[in-house]
């Protein structure tokens, strides 16, 4: 009798599971939302955009994505000095400074992962931005997503490819401008720059319509600064000067007295700045300065650099 009951129960469970269909196992994690649910409101899209920005402060130990973007070009150029003494700066950034980075190095692997994580977030926004009704806030979010993606790709193409003015047809990086995981061939250096210019021209048009007192997100000035730098790389003096001047619009330069006091703070010359506070820092290292954590501030002074470099050409 017990065997018969067990058989009946097993059959009942089997039939119940069969009737559930495939959607029984199609579940969404409790801490995630699908694109169809996320991109129905401005707030949802803004959360994804904030997550994209937040990847700039993600990383392993003290090597956050923003440190790679901000420091590596200077370290591998002539604008920084790194000593090999292990007691100095914990021995960090020595191999990039000495050009002894291996393919499996954290300096090779982590910037790639961090940057493409930012790109993945911005692609999700740009793929779904059309689901939102036309509004000034939608335009702002689209403009910021385009700018952040271009800013990130600009770092990647300069770090992992040869200069566009000398090797435009060389293979460079993976140019993924929509969400997906399929294998893609490496785009040429020139193709990457062409895409970034198209994106930033659109971003500038969108962000020019939006004004904000906050410098925590990319605004019109920073967007024009990014585009000016792209044109600088391409040797397009006319458009470079045009966008450098647009980036300078409304910016007041600091005087000598303020310059030394506020250089490492968000100031009147800052175009875009973000902070890495201790409560949102993936690093085990915190560097106190005047009783607070050092703020890893990205000072987008591309406008000044681009403007004066073009004037000297």
């Amino acid at each position: 009798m017990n065997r018969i009951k067990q058989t009946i129960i097993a059959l009942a469970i089997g039939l119940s599971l069969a009737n559930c269909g495939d959607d029984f196992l199609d579940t969404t994690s409790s801490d995630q939302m699908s694109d169809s649910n996320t991109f129905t409101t401005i707030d949802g899209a803004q959360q994804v955009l904030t997550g994209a920005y937040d990847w700039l402060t993600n990383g392993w130990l003290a090597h956050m994505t923003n440190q790679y973007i901000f420091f590596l070009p200077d370290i591998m150029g002539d604008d920084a000095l790194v000593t090999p003494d292990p007691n100095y700066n914990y021995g960090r950034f020595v191999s990039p400074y000495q050009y002894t980075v291996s393919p499996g190095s954290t300096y090779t692997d982590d910037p790639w992962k961090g940057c493409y994580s930012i790109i993945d977030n911005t692609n999700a926004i740009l793929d779904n931005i059309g689901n939102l009704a036309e509004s000034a806030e939608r335009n702002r979010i689209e403009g910021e997503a385009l700018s952040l993606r271009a800013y990130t790709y600009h770092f990647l193409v300069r770090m992992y490819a040869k200069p566009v003015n000398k090797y435009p047809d060389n293979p460079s990086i993976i140019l993924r401008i929509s969400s997906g995981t399929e294998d893609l061939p490496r785009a040429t250096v020139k193709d990457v720059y062409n895409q970034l210019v198209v994106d930033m021209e659109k971003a500038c048009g969108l962000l020019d319509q939006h004004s904000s007192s906050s410098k925590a997100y990319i605004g019109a000035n920073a967007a024009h600064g990014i585009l000016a730098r792209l044109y600088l790389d391409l040797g397009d003096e006319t458009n470079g000067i045009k966008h450098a001047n647009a980036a300078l619009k409304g910016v007041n330069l600091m005087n000598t007295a303020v310059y030394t006091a506020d250089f490492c703070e968000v100031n009147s010359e800052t175009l875009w700045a973000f902070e890495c506070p201790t409560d949102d820092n993936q690093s085990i290292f915190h560097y106190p300065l005047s009783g607070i954590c050092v703020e890893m501030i990205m000072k987008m002074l591309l406008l000044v650099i681009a403007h004066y470099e073009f004037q000297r050409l």
Side-chain angles (χ1 to χ4, degrees), residues 138-216:
R138 168 185 152 170
N139 290 342
R140 175 190 62 78
I141 290 173
E142 183 178 7
E144 287 186 39
L146 285 166
S147 299
L148 185 56
R149 185 175 72 177
Y151 175 76
T152 307
Y153 266 130
H154 188 216
F155 166 78
L156 287 171
V157 75
R158 287 178 296 148
M159 186 57 57
Y160 295 94
K162 293 187 176 182
V164 65
N165 61 335
K166 292 185 177 295
Y167 305 95
D169 297 321
N170 271 39
S172 62
I173 57 176
I174 306 300
L175 183 61
R176 191 181 298 278
I177 57 174
S178 62
S179 299
T181 57
E182 72 281 4
D183 290 339
L184 294 176
R186 294 168 67 189
T188 66
V189 180
K190 187 63 180 292
D191 285 345
V192 173
Y193 271 88
N194 287 343
Q195 181 66 51
L196 301 189
V197 167
V198 169
D199 286 350
M200 287 311 304
E201 288 284 3
K202 183 178 182 179
C204 287
L206 292 169
L207 294 174
D208 279 340
Q209 305 168 26
H210 180 81
S211 61
S212 173
S213 59
S214 173
K215 296 182 178 183

Side-chain angles (χ1 to χ4, degrees), residues 53 143-155 158 193 196-197 199-201 203-204 207 217-234 239-240 243-244 247 271-272 300-303 306 310:
Y53 278 108
E144 287 186 39
L146 285 166
S147 299
L148 185 56
R149 185 175 72 177
Y151 175 76
T152 307
Y153 266 130
H154 188 216
F155 166 78
R158 287 178 296 148
Y193 271 88
L196 301 189
V197 167
D199 286 350
M200 287 311 304
E201 288 284 3
C204 287
L207 294 174
Y217 299 98
I218 297 175
N221 292 84
H224 282 288
I226 294 170
L227 184 52
R229 182 55 192 268
L230 291 170
Y231 280 125
L232 174 66
D233 291 355
L234 292 167
N239 281 310
H243 287 284
L271 298 186
W272 167 38
M300 291 290 294
L301 294 177
L302 297 176
L303 61 105
F310 275 119

